[in-house]
């Protein structure tokens, strides 16, 4: 479901108030009490049974309904995937994970509000853990007891050509899983997808503009066509999942999972036009964690977000150590994980069809090197575009390439995104990548 930006902010404001335990009929921003305007601590962590550097995210919610940016805490965006520059990150805290077997793991702040364990560690089944936090002002917080409920092995991650419920043709990505030990009734799936990008209008040469001074007329400049020094034809972009995907096997005599779909990609989606990879992670959850995320999912998908939201519907499992009543948002969980990576090409499923279109208009353009003042009714001149970094070289002027040009110049060019993939991803091939 998509909202207009203004509605999105209002809805987030309502969700935020609901998480404070309010029962809402309508939102009256002018009547918020002073204590309701205090930014709440947001604690998020998924601690796992794999030997990794564990992460804890601390931030502050905000009731600012900014006209330009979304600055309200959004609990529906999964852990670590929200844009950090739109969140008030909480720095300077002391963070520890304590086990009831005497283990203790300290964390150090990396980027603002992102705390990394000082050593790699894995949670053990049968051990109870708590997340212990002391903020920079000396306030102490602790989580409810956390345990790894069970483990289940992903036995297969695979893709098949399919048609969605809405009639869209594409590729469905499925998982099979087999329980191993413990309580394995509740699962959540997250993923990271990485896709290859090939700039459609890349050339081995490009413009090089030096000595540009437009404070005089005619402007001073030196413009050459030179060999590219940086590889910017092939790039890779990695994106985390931003949906809540869960399944429960409670009540089923067979706790194994077969052909559960975790992702569907329409065949016209640009991300599968070259080569695509997905790393699926399966998390065995507790019943409480499963219920928490199901509640978030039901709210985020509700057709009537303005209907009454009952008190206590969104529960956070972190609280003040001293017993003081304070609204803390977010959730901390301990999970047993299993992951597996899959690669495929567009041709694997649609060998007889055209590749999905590049998602940007790459029509060739031309313009004068510079426009004489006062500006004539001509497109923006080439020097200004190069100074702003918006175009890349395509060739010498050719009327057949730009037949309707009103003010042609000596060169033809295209939007930079069409000839330089680094605007869409990294030109460094990931370590895990396979062709």
């Amino acid at each position: 479901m998509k909202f207009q930006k203004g509605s999105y902010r209002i809805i987030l404001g309502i969700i935020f108030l609901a998480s404070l335990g309010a029962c809402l009929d309508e939102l009256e921003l002018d009547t918020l009490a002073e204590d309701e305007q205090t930014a709440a601590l947001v604690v998020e962590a998924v601690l796992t049974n794999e030997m990794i550097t564990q992460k804890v995210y601390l931030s502050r919610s905000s009731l600012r309904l900014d006209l330009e940016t979304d600055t309200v805490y959004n609990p529906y965006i999964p852990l670590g995937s929200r844009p950090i520059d739109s969140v008030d990150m909480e720095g300077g805290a002391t963070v520890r994970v304590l086990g009831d077997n005497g283990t203790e793991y300290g964390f150090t702040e990396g980027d603002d509000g992102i705390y990394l364990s000082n050593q790699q560690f894995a949670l053990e089944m049968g051990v109870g853990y708590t997340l212990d936090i002391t903020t920079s002002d000396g306030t102490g917080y602790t989580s409810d007891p956390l345990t790894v409920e069970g483990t289940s092995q992903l036995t297969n991650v695979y893709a098949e050509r399919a048609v969605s419920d809405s009639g869209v043709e594409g590729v469905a990505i499925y998982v099979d899983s087999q329980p191993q030990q413990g309580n394995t009734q509740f699962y959540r799936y997250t993923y990271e997808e990485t896709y290859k990008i090939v700039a459609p209008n890349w050339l081995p040469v490009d413009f090089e503009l030096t000595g540009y001074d437009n404070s005089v007329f005619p402007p001073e400049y030196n413009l050459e066509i030179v060999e590219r020094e940086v590889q910017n034809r092939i790039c890779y972009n990695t994106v985390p999942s931003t949906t809540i995907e869960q399944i429960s096997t409670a009540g089923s005599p067979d706790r194994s999972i077969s052909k559960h779909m975790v992702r569907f990609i329409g065949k016209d989606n640009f991300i599968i036009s070259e080569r695509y990879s997905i790393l699926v992670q399966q998390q065995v959850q507790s019943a409480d964690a499963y219920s928490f995320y199901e509640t978030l999912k039901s709210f985020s998908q509700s057709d009537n977000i303005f209907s009454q939201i009952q008190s206590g519907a969104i529960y956070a499992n972190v609280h003040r150590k001293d017993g003081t009543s304070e609204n803390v948002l977010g959730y901390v969980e301990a999970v047993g994980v299993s992951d597996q990576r899959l690669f495929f090409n567009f041709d694997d499923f649609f060998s007889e069809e055209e590749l999905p279109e590049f998602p940007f208009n790459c029509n060739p353009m031309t313009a004068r090197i510079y426009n004489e003042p006062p500006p004539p009714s001509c497109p923006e001149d080439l020097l200004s575009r190069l100074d702003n970094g918006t175009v890349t070289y395509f060739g010498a002027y050719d009327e057949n390439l730009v037949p309707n040009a009103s003010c042609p110049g000596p060169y033809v060019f295209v939007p930079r995104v069409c000839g330089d993939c680094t605007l869409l991803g990294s030109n460094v091939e990931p370590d895990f990548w396979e062709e």
Side-chain angles (χ1 to χ4, degrees), residues 50 73 281 388:
E50 57 184 341
Y73 166 67
Q281 183 177 88
N388 293 328

Side-chain angles (χ1 to χ4, degrees), residues 361-413:
N361 183 348
C362 292
N363 291 336
M365 302 173 286
T366 188
R368 294 178 176 176
I369 293 289
Y370 57 85
N371 289 326
E372 299 181 7
S377 56
C378 285
E380 182 182 25
D381 62 75
L382 177 58
L383 294 182
S384 297
R385 296 174 194 249
L386 291 175
D387 190 46
N388 293 328
T390 60
V391 297
T392 188
Y393 179 77
F394 189 71
Y397 174 73
D398 184 337
E399 184 179 1
N400 294 322
L401 294 175
V402 281
N404 300 315
S406 57
C407 304
Y411 301 108
V412 176
F413 46 84

Side-chain angles (χ1 to χ4, degrees), residues 23 34 50 53-54 67 75 105 156 162 185 255 326 405:
C23 184
E34 188 64 35
E50 57 184 341
T53 300
Q54 310 282 350
L67 294 178
Y105 302 102
N156 197 13
Q185 298 183 75
R255 295 293 173 83
E326 179 181 328

Side-chain angles (χ1 to χ4, degrees), residues 12-71:
L12 290 177
I14 291 174
I15 292 167
F16 173 76
L17 291 178
S19 69
L20 303 186
C23 184
L24 302 173
D25 289 310
E26 60 183 74
L27 180 64
E28 301 242 359
L29 291 177
D30 331 353
T31 60
L32 290 174
E34 188 64 35
D35 60 342
E36 290 179 308
Q37 299 183 40
T38 303
L41 180 66
V42 181
V43 183
E44 301 170 286
V46 177
L47 305 173
T48 78
N49 68 333
E50 57 184 341
M51 186 63 67
I52 61 170
T53 300
Q54 310 282 350
K55 294 181 182 180
V56 174
Y57 296 80
L58 300 182
S59 59
R60 290 282 173 179
S61 65
S62 174
L63 287 178
R64 292 174 290 149
L65 301 184
D66 195 294
L67 294 178
E68 297 298 329
T69 58
D70 295 324
T71 55

Side-chain angles (χ1 to χ4, degrees), residues 208-221:
E208 182 178 75
L209 175 64
T210 56
Y212 179 51
D213 181 2
N214 64 351
S215 65
V216 297
F217 188 82
E220 296 178 359
Y221 68 94

